Amino acid sequence: MKRVVALAMLAAVLLPARAGAQEICPDRSGYAPAREIVADLGRIVAPEGVQEEYAVEIGGIRQWVSVRGQDRDNPMVLFVHGGPASPVIPTLWQFQRPLEEYFTVVNYDQRGAGKTLVLNPQEAVADTLHVQRYVDDAIALAEHLRSRYHKRKLVLMAHSWGTVVAMHAALQRPDLFHAYVGIGQVINVRTNEQVSFDYGLRTARAKGNAEAIREMESIAPYPGDTPITRERIIIARKWPQFYGGLTAYRADSKYFYQGPRLSPDYDDAARCAINAGSVFSLGRLLDEFLQVDFTGVERFPIPVVMFMGRHDYTTPSEPTAAWLARVQAPYKQGVWFEHSAHMMPWEEPGKTLVSLLEHVRPRAIDDAPAK
């Protein structure tokens, strides 16, 4: 039980695992009537629209895909979720519907996550959990979507851990994408760790929180020259997020953690697979994740837009802003979300939509159907 709780907290390195990971998957069948209402509200009824969910073989396993939009001719967005193993599909009902009027939005459960975890034997997936394999999956899925939906290119959008995957995909296959949108972008993991820790300790001292000070000083200097272990990360990330570094002005994010209970796309078995996926994936990916560093990328091959939360201390925005200021790209734009931390689409959904319409859709609207 302690190991499950610790790994759930460790997920806060990128995007926290759903709260209640220590629960043994309680029955939530009482939420069924509410799920039906959410499903009806979100149903795509426009004749030219698309609403599909299906499994497709990508990278040797079956991966779960959701495609939603009011008009098939709109630009298509491929969204790469955070985590790892924190799928967006069970909470997309909270923010995505307005986006679907202007984009066809594709979400998928990555290997080791959500419904994809359920679809495949874990022993067939465990040894494949490497960053480059996730990148290859995103590229293969983009090619599949281009063919299936007759798109020349896609918009690539990612959140948190997903930005590691998507940045690599954009750099390796820029021909597939109109533009890249990073939300809570990871640039350099060690820098992020230090900025986040410093914020948490500074705030704890200002507020006289003896418990937080004691815990954080026990691992200082952080990260320092000492190896970044699970135990150190758990302490380092606990207090910055308590002080609004995950969701601005909030000590917790129950709206997100408990959102899957009302998801019309996830039954209880799939919902319970979210926490199982975190436990399954985190330890296998941690060493590679800690080596992530995009600071040496001086040229970006496609238009790049960064959504940066002013209060984000999960993947702090300062390194992203600094990288964006010096990178060369066909088009670049940073958008500050003044009332957000890490969860920008959930915290400021209106600004998310407006920013996509202003900076991204014009770069994809000329898309012609693939021949």
mmCIF file of all heavy atoms in Angstrom, residues 20-60:
data_model
loop_
_atom_site.group_PDB
_atom_site.id
_atom_site.type_symbol
_atom_site.label_atom_id
_atom_site.label_comp_id
_atom_site.label_asym_id
_atom_site.label_seq_id
_atom_site.Cartn_x
_atom_site.Cartn_y
_atom_site.Cartn_z
ATOM 1 N N GLY A 20 -6.521 9.547 -4.669
ATOM 2 C CA GLY A 20 -7.188 8.320 -4.280
ATOM 3 C C GLY A 20 -6.551 7.100 -4.888
ATOM 4 O O GLY A 20 -7.180 6.071 -5.039
ATOM 5 N N ALA A 21 -5.262 7.188 -5.270
ATOM 6 C CA ALA A 21 -4.601 6.017 -5.835
ATOM 7 C C ALA A 21 -4.560 4.876 -4.831
ATOM 8 O O ALA A 21 -4.401 3.726 -5.209
ATOM 9 C CB ALA A 21 -3.183 6.381 -6.270
ATOM 10 N N GLN A 22 -4.699 5.215 -3.540
ATOM 11 C CA GLN A 22 -4.664 4.171 -2.534
ATOM 12 C C GLN A 22 -5.991 3.423 -2.449
ATOM 13 O O GLN A 22 -6.096 2.408 -1.790
ATOM 14 C CB GLN A 22 -4.286 4.774 -1.171
ATOM 15 C CG GLN A 22 -5.351 5.674 -0.563
ATOM 16 C CD GLN A 22 -5.215 7.115 -1.014
ATOM 17 O OE1 GLN A 22 -4.730 7.382 -2.097
ATOM 18 N NE2 GLN A 22 -5.658 8.038 -0.174
ATOM 19 N N GLU A 23 -7.030 3.929 -3.098
ATOM 20 C CA GLU A 23 -8.311 3.249 -3.073
ATOM 21 C C GLU A 23 -8.228 1.963 -3.891
ATOM 22 O O GLU A 23 -7.498 1.874 -4.869
ATOM 23 C CB GLU A 23 -9.398 4.148 -3.671
ATOM 24 C CG GLU A 23 -9.641 5.419 -2.878
ATOM 25 C CD GLU A 23 -10.668 6.312 -3.562
ATOM 26 O OE1 GLU A 23 -11.076 5.994 -4.686
ATOM 27 O OE2 GLU A 23 -11.055 7.323 -2.956
ATOM 28 N N ILE A 24 -8.969 0.965 -3.485
ATOM 29 C CA ILE A 24 -9.013 -0.283 -4.243
ATOM 30 C C ILE A 24 -10.205 -0.213 -5.179
ATOM 31 O O ILE A 24 -11.179 -0.932 -5.075
ATOM 32 C CB ILE A 24 -9.107 -1.514 -3.295
ATOM 33 C CG1 ILE A 24 -7.995 -1.426 -2.253
ATOM 34 C CG2 ILE A 24 -8.966 -2.791 -4.110
ATOM 35 C CD1 ILE A 24 -6.583 -1.383 -2.835
ATOM 36 N N CYS A 25 -10.173 0.713 -6.065
ATOM 37 C CA CYS A 25 -11.127 0.837 -7.160
ATOM 38 C C CYS A 25 -12.581 0.708 -6.696
ATOM 39 O O CYS A 25 -13.257 -0.253 -7.051
ATOM 40 C CB CYS A 25 -10.810 -0.221 -8.201
ATOM 41 S SG CYS A 25 -10.799 0.441 -9.851
ATOM 42 N N PRO A 26 -13.093 1.646 -5.927
ATOM 43 C CA PRO A 26 -14.462 1.521 -5.430
ATOM 44 C C PRO A 26 -15.481 1.601 -6.556
ATOM 45 O O PRO A 26 -15.239 2.194 -7.607
ATOM 46 C CB PRO A 26 -14.599 2.726 -4.485
ATOM 47 C CG PRO A 26 -13.604 3.710 -4.988
ATOM 48 C CD PRO A 26 -12.446 2.899 -5.498
ATOM 49 N N ASP A 27 -16.617 1.019 -6.313
ATOM 50 C CA ASP A 27 -17.708 1.024 -7.288
ATOM 51 C C ASP A 27 -18.302 2.428 -7.378
ATOM 52 O O ASP A 27 -18.686 3.027 -6.386
ATOM 53 C CB ASP A 27 -18.779 0.017 -6.835
ATOM 54 C CG ASP A 27 -19.973 -0.017 -7.781
ATOM 55 O OD1 ASP A 27 -19.848 0.490 -8.919
ATOM 56 O OD2 ASP A 27 -21.018 -0.546 -7.388
ATOM 57 N N ARG A 28 -18.376 2.969 -8.616
ATOM 58 C CA ARG A 28 -18.944 4.289 -8.826
ATOM 59 C C ARG A 28 -20.172 4.204 -9.731
ATOM 60 O O ARG A 28 -20.486 5.143 -10.446
ATOM 61 C CB ARG A 28 -17.899 5.225 -9.458
ATOM 62 C CG ARG A 28 -16.643 5.416 -8.628
ATOM 63 C CD ARG A 28 -16.934 6.134 -7.318
ATOM 64 N NE ARG A 28 -15.694 6.364 -6.560
ATOM 65 C CZ ARG A 28 -15.657 6.772 -5.314
ATOM 66 N NH1 ARG A 28 -16.780 7.003 -4.661
ATOM 67 N NH2 ARG A 28 -14.512 6.946 -4.691
ATOM 68 N N SER A 29 -20.869 3.077 -9.696
ATOM 69 C CA SER A 29 -22.017 2.891 -10.579
ATOM 70 C C SER A 29 -23.126 3.902 -10.295
ATOM 71 O O SER A 29 -23.951 4.182 -11.160
ATOM 72 C CB SER A 29 -22.559 1.461 -10.447
ATOM 73 O OG SER A 29 -22.896 1.177 -9.096
ATOM 74 N N GLY A 30 -23.121 4.479 -9.106
ATOM 75 C CA GLY A 30 -24.122 5.488 -8.783
ATOM 76 C C GLY A 30 -23.995 6.757 -9.607
ATOM 77 O O GLY A 30 -24.919 7.572 -9.644
ATOM 78 N N TYR A 31 -22.871 6.924 -10.272
ATOM 79 C CA TYR A 31 -22.666 8.095 -11.123
ATOM 80 C C TYR A 31 -23.255 7.907 -12.522
ATOM 81 O O TYR A 31 -23.218 8.838 -13.329
ATOM 82 C CB TYR A 31 -21.171 8.393 -11.259
ATOM 83 C CG TYR A 31 -20.534 8.990 -10.032
ATOM 84 C CD1 TYR A 31 -20.097 8.181 -8.980
ATOM 85 C CD2 TYR A 31 -20.361 10.363 -9.905
ATOM 86 C CE1 TYR A 31 -19.516 8.717 -7.855
ATOM 87 C CE2 TYR A 31 -19.780 10.919 -8.775
ATOM 88 C CZ TYR A 31 -19.352 10.092 -7.739
ATOM 89 O OH TYR A 31 -18.781 10.638 -6.621
ATOM 90 N N ALA A 32 -23.782 6.735 -12.817
ATOM 91 C CA ALA A 32 -24.246 6.445 -14.173
ATOM 92 C C ALA A 32 -25.263 7.449 -14.713
ATOM 93 O O ALA A 32 -25.142 7.883 -15.867
ATOM 94 C CB ALA A 32 -24.811 5.021 -14.234
ATOM 95 N N PRO A 33 -26.288 7.853 -13.956
ATOM 96 C CA PRO A 33 -27.239 8.840 -14.498
ATOM 97 C C PRO A 33 -26.569 10.167 -14.873
ATOM 98 O O PRO A 33 -26.912 10.776 -15.883
ATOM 99 C CB PRO A 33 -28.252 9.017 -13.365
ATOM 100 C CG PRO A 33 -28.161 7.750 -12.577
ATOM 101 C CD PRO A 33 -26.727 7.365 -12.629
ATOM 102 N N ALA A 34 -25.611 10.608 -14.057
ATOM 103 C CA ALA A 34 -24.912 11.854 -14.367
ATOM 104 C C ALA A 34 -24.059 11.694 -15.621
ATOM 105 O O ALA A 34 -23.967 12.603 -16.452
ATOM 106 C CB ALA A 34 -24.044 12.283 -13.186
ATOM 107 N N ARG A 35 -23.438 10.530 -15.767
ATOM 108 C CA ARG A 35 -22.636 10.273 -16.966
ATOM 109 C C ARG A 35 -23.498 10.343 -18.223
ATOM 110 O O ARG A 35 -23.057 10.840 -19.266
ATOM 111 C CB ARG A 35 -21.966 8.905 -16.871
ATOM 112 C CG ARG A 35 -20.846 8.797 -15.851
ATOM 113 C CD ARG A 35 -20.366 7.372 -15.748
ATOM 114 N NE ARG A 35 -19.332 7.207 -14.739
ATOM 115 C CZ ARG A 35 -18.967 6.039 -14.222
ATOM 116 N NH1 ARG A 35 -19.558 4.931 -14.640
ATOM 117 N NH2 ARG A 35 -18.014 5.974 -13.315
ATOM 118 N N GLU A 36 -24.702 9.858 -18.129
ATOM 119 C CA GLU A 36 -25.595 9.890 -19.288
ATOM 120 C C GLU A 36 -25.923 11.324 -19.692
ATOM 121 O O GLU A 36 -26.010 11.647 -20.887
ATOM 122 C CB GLU A 36 -26.874 9.114 -18.965
ATOM 123 C CG GLU A 36 -26.662 7.610 -18.813
ATOM 124 C CD GLU A 36 -27.930 6.883 -18.398
ATOM 125 O OE1 GLU A 36 -28.983 7.565 -18.292
ATOM 126 O OE2 GLU A 36 -27.876 5.660 -18.175
ATOM 127 N N ILE A 37 -26.088 12.203 -18.697
ATOM 128 C CA ILE A 37 -26.359 13.606 -19.004
ATOM 129 C C ILE A 37 -25.146 14.244 -19.678
ATOM 130 O O ILE A 37 -25.270 14.967 -20.675
ATOM 131 C CB ILE A 37 -26.736 14.366 -17.717
ATOM 132 C CG1 ILE A 37 -28.051 13.829 -17.152
ATOM 133 C CG2 ILE A 37 -26.842 15.870 -17.983
ATOM 134 C CD1 ILE A 37 -28.381 14.344 -15.765
ATOM 135 N N VAL A 38 -23.962 13.985 -19.121
ATOM 136 C CA VAL A 38 -22.739 14.527 -19.715
ATOM 137 C C VAL A 38 -22.564 14.012 -21.139
ATOM 138 O O VAL A 38 -22.201 14.763 -22.053
ATOM 139 C CB VAL A 38 -21.518 14.180 -18.848
ATOM 140 C CG1 VAL A 38 -20.228 14.629 -19.537
ATOM 141 C CG2 VAL A 38 -21.625 14.812 -17.469
ATOM 142 N N ALA A 39 -22.854 12.735 -21.345
ATOM 143 C CA ALA A 39 -22.729 12.147 -22.679
ATOM 144 C C ALA A 39 -23.683 12.799 -23.663
ATOM 145 O O ALA A 39 -23.313 13.097 -24.816
ATOM 146 C CB ALA A 39 -22.987 10.640 -22.614
ATOM 147 N N ASP A 40 -24.902 13.053 -23.229
ATOM 148 C CA ASP A 40 -25.884 13.657 -24.126
ATOM 149 C C ASP A 40 -25.497 15.092 -24.480
ATOM 150 O O ASP A 40 -25.615 15.519 -25.638
ATOM 151 C CB ASP A 40 -27.265 13.626 -23.475
ATOM 152 C CG ASP A 40 -28.366 14.071 -24.431
ATOM 153 O OD1 ASP A 40 -28.381 13.605 -25.587
ATOM 154 O OD2 ASP A 40 -29.197 14.894 -24.028
ATOM 155 N N LEU A 41 -25.022 15.839 -23.500
ATOM 156 C CA LEU A 41 -24.608 17.211 -23.749
ATOM 157 C C LEU A 41 -23.439 17.255 -24.731
ATOM 158 O O LEU A 41 -23.365 18.134 -25.589
ATOM 159 C CB LEU A 41 -24.213 17.881 -22.435
ATOM 160 C CG LEU A 41 -23.694 19.323 -22.534
ATOM 161 C CD1 LEU A 41 -24.787 20.251 -23.067
ATOM 162 C CD2 LEU A 41 -23.191 19.804 -21.178
ATOM 163 N N GLY A 42 -22.525 16.308 -24.608
ATOM 164 C CA GLY A 42 -21.330 16.322 -25.435
ATOM 165 C C GLY A 42 -21.473 15.632 -26.770
ATOM 166 O O GLY A 42 -20.525 15.630 -27.574
ATOM 167 N N ARG A 43 -22.619 15.072 -27.036
ATOM 168 C CA ARG A 43 -22.793 14.303 -28.275
ATOM 169 C C ARG A 43 -22.676 15.207 -29.494
ATOM 170 O O ARG A 43 -23.274 16.273 -29.550
ATOM 171 C CB ARG A 43 -24.157 13.602 -28.244
ATOM 172 C CG ARG A 43 -24.369 12.579 -29.334
ATOM 173 C CD ARG A 43 -25.453 11.601 -28.906
ATOM 174 N NE ARG A 43 -26.664 12.288 -28.441
ATOM 175 C CZ ARG A 43 -27.719 12.563 -29.220
ATOM 176 N NH1 ARG A 43 -27.711 12.213 -30.489
ATOM 177 N NH2 ARG A 43 -28.779 13.171 -28.716
ATOM 178 N N ILE A 44 -21.900 14.786 -30.482
ATOM 179 C CA ILE A 44 -21.765 15.528 -31.736
ATOM 180 C C ILE A 44 -22.944 15.157 -32.631
ATOM 181 O O ILE A 44 -23.086 14.016 -33.065
ATOM 182 C CB ILE A 44 -20.443 15.189 -32.442
ATOM 183 C CG1 ILE A 44 -19.244 15.502 -31.541
ATOM 184 C CG2 ILE A 44 -20.333 15.934 -33.774
ATOM 185 C CD1 ILE A 44 -19.020 16.956 -31.262
ATOM 186 N N VAL A 45 -23.804 16.134 -32.921
ATOM 187 C CA VAL A 45 -25.009 15.862 -33.709
ATOM 188 C C VAL A 45 -24.958 16.502 -35.096
ATOM 189 O O VAL A 45 -25.789 16.191 -35.952
ATOM 190 C CB VAL A 45 -26.272 16.337 -32.964
ATOM 191 C CG1 VAL A 45 -26.452 15.530 -31.679
ATOM 192 C CG2 VAL A 45 -26.197 17.832 -32.643
ATOM 193 N N ALA A 46 -24.003 17.394 -35.332
ATOM 194 C CA ALA A 46 -23.901 18.030 -36.641
ATOM 195 C C ALA A 46 -23.616 16.969 -37.706
ATOM 196 O O ALA A 46 -22.751 16.104 -37.509
ATOM 197 C CB ALA A 46 -22.791 19.089 -36.634
ATOM 198 N N PRO A 47 -24.321 16.996 -38.821
ATOM 199 C CA PRO A 47 -24.148 15.959 -39.843
ATOM 200 C C PRO A 47 -22.735 15.888 -40.393
ATOM 201 O O PRO A 47 -22.277 14.814 -40.798
ATOM 202 C CB PRO A 47 -25.140 16.349 -40.943
ATOM 203 C CG PRO A 47 -25.806 17.587 -40.521
ATOM 204 C CD PRO A 47 -25.367 17.958 -39.154
ATOM 205 N N GLU A 48 -22.024 17.016 -40.396
ATOM 206 C CA GLU A 48 -20.659 17.010 -40.918
ATOM 207 C C GLU A 48 -19.626 16.730 -39.826
ATOM 208 O O GLU A 48 -18.418 16.781 -40.069
ATOM 209 C CB GLU A 48 -20.345 18.354 -41.588
ATOM 210 C CG GLU A 48 -20.405 19.543 -40.673
ATOM 211 C CD GLU A 48 -21.805 20.143 -40.561
ATOM 212 O OE1 GLU A 48 -22.790 19.423 -40.811
ATOM 213 O OE2 GLU A 48 -21.905 21.348 -40.231
ATOM 214 N N GLY A 49 -20.102 16.433 -38.621
ATOM 215 C CA GLY A 49 -19.201 16.214 -37.496
ATOM 216 C C GLY A 49 -18.662 14.801 -37.424
ATOM 217 O O GLY A 49 -19.014 13.918 -38.222
ATOM 218 N N VAL A 50 -17.797 14.576 -36.441
ATOM 219 C CA VAL A 50 -17.222 13.256 -36.212
ATOM 220 C C VAL A 50 -17.112 13.022 -34.713
ATOM 221 O O VAL A 50 -16.713 13.897 -33.953
ATOM 222 C CB VAL A 50 -15.838 13.116 -36.895
ATOM 223 C CG1 VAL A 50 -14.877 14.210 -36.437
ATOM 224 C CG2 VAL A 50 -15.232 11.742 -36.621
ATOM 225 N N GLN A 51 -17.529 11.836 -34.279
ATOM 226 C CA GLN A 51 -17.383 11.406 -32.892
ATOM 227 C C GLN A 51 -17.121 9.908 -32.923
ATOM 228 O O GLN A 51 -18.029 9.105 -33.092
ATOM 229 C CB GLN A 51 -18.645 11.715 -32.080
ATOM 230 C CG GLN A 51 -18.544 11.278 -30.614
ATOM 231 C CD GLN A 51 -19.772 11.637 -29.801
ATOM 232 O OE1 GLN A 51 -20.706 12.275 -30.301
ATOM 233 N NE2 GLN A 51 -19.800 11.234 -28.538
ATOM 234 N N GLU A 52 -15.867 9.546 -32.765
ATOM 235 C CA GLU A 52 -15.469 8.143 -32.886
ATOM 236 C C GLU A 52 -14.501 7.784 -31.766
ATOM 237 O O GLU A 52 -13.666 8.590 -31.365
ATOM 238 C CB GLU A 52 -14.778 7.886 -34.233
ATOM 239 C CG GLU A 52 -15.660 8.101 -35.439
ATOM 240 C CD GLU A 52 -14.946 7.825 -36.750
ATOM 241 O OE1 GLU A 52 -13.699 7.786 -36.768
ATOM 242 O OE2 GLU A 52 -15.648 7.655 -37.766
ATOM 243 N N GLU A 53 -14.606 6.568 -31.298
ATOM 244 C CA GLU A 53 -13.624 5.979 -30.389
ATOM 245 C C GLU A 53 -13.312 4.588 -30.906
ATOM 246 O O GLU A 53 -14.212 3.819 -31.241
ATOM 247 C CB GLU A 53 -14.159 5.890 -28.957
ATOM 248 C CG GLU A 53 -14.255 7.226 -28.238
ATOM 249 C CD GLU A 53 -14.599 7.042 -26.768
ATOM 250 O OE1 GLU A 53 -15.734 6.643 -26.476
ATOM 251 O OE2 GLU A 53 -13.725 7.294 -25.933
ATOM 252 N N TYR A 54 -12.038 4.276 -30.969
ATOM 253 C CA TYR A 54 -11.656 2.970 -31.511
ATOM 254 C C TYR A 54 -10.229 2.628 -31.087
ATOM 255 O O TYR A 54 -9.463 3.497 -30.664
ATOM 256 C CB TYR A 54 -11.763 2.974 -33.039
ATOM 257 C CG TYR A 54 -10.914 4.005 -33.749
ATOM 258 C CD1 TYR A 54 -9.610 3.713 -34.156
ATOM 259 C CD2 TYR A 54 -11.412 5.289 -34.015
ATOM 260 C CE1 TYR A 54 -8.836 4.658 -34.810
ATOM 261 C CE2 TYR A 54 -10.648 6.232 -34.669
ATOM 262 C CZ TYR A 54 -9.351 5.907 -35.065
ATOM 263 O OH TYR A 54 -8.583 6.847 -35.712
ATOM 264 N N ALA A 55 -9.884 1.369 -31.210
ATOM 265 C CA ALA A 55 -8.526 0.903 -30.959
ATOM 266 C C ALA A 55 -7.827 0.706 -32.298
ATOM 267 O O ALA A 55 -8.405 0.168 -33.242
ATOM 268 C CB ALA A 55 -8.543 -0.411 -30.183
ATOM 269 N N VAL A 56 -6.589 1.159 -32.368
ATOM 270 C CA VAL A 56 -5.792 1.002 -33.580
ATOM 271 C C VAL A 56 -4.430 0.438 -33.175
ATOM 272 O O VAL A 56 -3.903 0.786 -32.112
ATOM 273 C CB VAL A 56 -5.639 2.344 -34.324
ATOM 274 C CG1 VAL A 56 -4.960 3.384 -33.471
ATOM 275 C CG2 VAL A 56 -4.881 2.155 -35.631
ATOM 276 N N GLU A 57 -3.879 -0.428 -33.994
ATOM 277 C CA GLU A 57 -2.572 -0.998 -33.676
ATOM 278 C C GLU A 57 -1.486 0.003 -34.028
ATOM 279 O O GLU A 57 -1.326 0.395 -35.182
ATOM 280 C CB GLU A 57 -2.335 -2.310 -34.417
ATOM 281 C CG GLU A 57 -1.012 -2.955 -33.998
ATOM 282 C CD GLU A 57 -0.914 -4.430 -34.340
ATOM 283 O OE1 GLU A 57 -1.948 -5.129 -34.266
ATOM 284 O OE2 GLU A 57 0.196 -4.866 -34.681
ATOM 285 N N ILE A 58 -0.755 0.412 -33.005
ATOM 286 C CA ILE A 58 0.351 1.347 -33.144
ATOM 287 C C ILE A 58 1.530 0.793 -32.354
ATOM 288 O O ILE A 58 1.395 0.479 -31.171
ATOM 289 C CB ILE A 58 -0.021 2.743 -32.589
ATOM 290 C CG1 ILE A 58 -1.160 3.374 -33.373
ATOM 291 C CG2 ILE A 58 1.199 3.655 -32.572
ATOM 292 C CD1 ILE A 58 -0.827 3.807 -34.769
ATOM 293 N N GLY A 59 2.650 0.659 -32.987
ATOM 294 C CA GLY A 59 3.839 0.195 -32.278
ATOM 295 C C GLY A 59 3.709 -1.196 -31.708
ATOM 296 O O GLY A 59 4.278 -1.487 -30.649
ATOM 297 N N GLY A 60 2.950 -2.041 -32.367
ATOM 298 C CA GLY A 60 2.841 -3.426 -31.938
ATOM 299 C C GLY A 60 1.808 -3.698 -30.873
ATOM 300 O O GLY A 60 1.655 -4.848 -30.433
#
